[in-house]
Coordinates of all heavy atoms in Angstrom, one line a residue:
D29 N 195.1 58.4 -100.9 CA 193.8 57.9 -100.4 C 193.1 58.9 -99.4 O 191.9 59.1 -99.5 CB 194.0 56.5 -99.8 CG 192.6 55.9 -99.4 OD1 191.6 56.1 -100.2 OD2 192.6 55.0 -98.5
D82 N 190.3 58.0 -93.5 CA 191.6 57.2 -93.6 C 192.4 57.1 -92.4 O 193.6 56.8 -92.4 CB 192.4 57.6 -94.9 CG 193.3 56.6 -95.4 OD1 192.9 55.4 -95.5 OD2 194.4 56.8 -96.0
H106 N 189.4 52.4 -93.6 CA 189.5 51.0 -93.9 C 190.7 50.4 -93.1 O 191.1 49.3 -93.5 CB 189.7 50.8 -95.4 CG 191.1 51.3 -95.9 ND1 191.8 50.6 -96.8 CD2 191.7 52.5 -95.7 CE1 192.9 51.2 -97.0 NE2 192.8 52.4 -96.4
H107 N 191.0 51.0 -92.0 CA 192.1 50.3 -91.2 C 191.3 49.7 -90.1 O 190.1 50.0 -89.8 CB 193.0 51.5 -90.6 CG 193.9 52.1 -91.6 ND1 193.4 53.3 -92.2 CD2 194.9 51.7 -92.3 CE1 194.4 53.7 -93.1 NE2 195.2 52.7 -93.2
T128 N 190.0 53.8 -98.4 CA 188.9 54.6 -97.8 C 188.1 55.4 -98.9 O 186.8 55.4 -98.8 CB 189.5 55.7 -96.9 OG1 190.1 55.0 -95.8 CG2 188.4 56.7 -96.3
D158 N 195.8 53.2 -103.2 CA 195.8 52.3 -102.0 C 195.7 50.9 -102.4 O 195.9 50.0 -101.5 CB 194.7 52.8 -101.0 CG 195.3 53.4 -99.8 OD1 196.3 54.1 -100.0 OD2 194.7 53.3 -98.7
Ligands
MN1 MN1 194.0 54.3 -97.1

Side-chain angles (χ1 to χ4, degrees):
D29 186 30
D82 206 33
H106 71 132
H107 298 96
T128 295
D158 253 30

